[in-house]
Amino acid sequence: MRVMKDSIAKALQAFREGRLVGMPTETVYGLAAPIDQPKLVEKIFHLKKRPFFDPLIVHVAHKSQAQALVKEWSSVADALAKQFWPGPLTLVLPKTDQISDKITSGLPTVGLRCPQHPVARELLEKCHAPLAAPSANVFTKTSPTCAADVRAAFDPADVFVLEGGVCDVGIESTIVEVLPHAVCILRPGQITRSQIAAVTEPLGAPLQDLKKQVQAPGQMREHYRPDKPLYSVIASSQEEAKIKLHSQKSLTWIFLPDDAVLAARELYAQFRKASQSQAEICVLMVNPKWLNDETWEAVINRIRKASSEWI
Ligand code: TXA
Ligand code: MG
């Protein structure tokens, strides 16, 4: 994708005018503000209707910008960044005072991500400051995977949206907390557990269970919700799903491709499309074989949190 020079200039102008920027990334669109503009950072929480206890992740142009924001850049962090940055991986590390407590909701750590999307990269290069950016959706709702989704959610007086096409990954980044002698996956994403472990285990940092950790603040159960109730049914065929569902409600079906990468790419657009139908509920068929397949973990995680019924 060619990055239009004047659109980046317009985005920088939007920051100067006190507006936020809808920033395309390879995962989902973000709602961005430079970390050195506290009023704009606060505006992210207001526009998203996001509670202040849910911290923002910070996007960086390159590794050295990340290193400047943390107390210690460990060999494990370095190896993960080398392998997966730029890309859909967020590293949680102890922060320095350069990151305000507003951004991290008072936590001593910060989530850092170096995105791969050319428009995000260009914006980060030209902006000079790292960008705080959560997904550009209203709190608990479905994340946006194209510019039109962001435009539909926010007033242009508040948010300037950069065009960046349809997001390639389609679901949010894998979040890994880097601990002194272990790593912990706080949110699954396209980069899998095994891929993370393959990098960190040789360095003496095995995967640690989330349960042993304090729950990450943003890991609440209700999330990614479409505008209509989503019923997810574990079934191998539509016939089986209908029997298990046993519902009198009018419904619209969501069928995902039998490939985790493609399913992730389509998931949120499918949620939106189904929500716009006249039906009372959306029904998504979950193939039982996806449940024990690591490559499906992130998609299943999003479906579970988006579902009002899991049958
Ligand atoms: O792919 C992504 O990560 C997208 C794009 C825009 O980069 N961003 C994104 O941000 O998904 P957000 O805010 O929607 O989700 C970030 C999650 C939240 O659940 C938040 O609670 C958690 O990361 N988080 C942020 N900082 C954290 C920290 N220091 N410790 C633990 N969890 C943290
Ligand atoms: Mg989000």
Side-chain angles (χ1 to χ4, degrees), residues 213-254:
Q213 278 255 313
V214 182
Q215 281 272 11
Q219 310 306 306
M220 39 278 276
R221 217 187 69 79
E222 257 186 51
H223 218 138
Y224 318 112
R225 294 253 153 148
D227 290 334
K228 282 217 171 97
L230 176 69
Y231 286 47
S232 296
V233 187
I234 302 164
S236 306
S237 70
Q238 201 176 358
E239 280 315 301
E240 188 190 340
K242 277 182 192 159
I243 293 165
K244 280 185 90 174
L245 186 64
H246 195 68
S247 170
Q248 305 302 322
K249 296 194 170 92
S250 63
L251 46 92
T252 182
W253 290 89
I254 298 175

Side-chain angles (χ1 to χ4, degrees), residues 48 135 137 223:
K48 256 188 86 90
S135 53
N137 51 282
H223 218 138

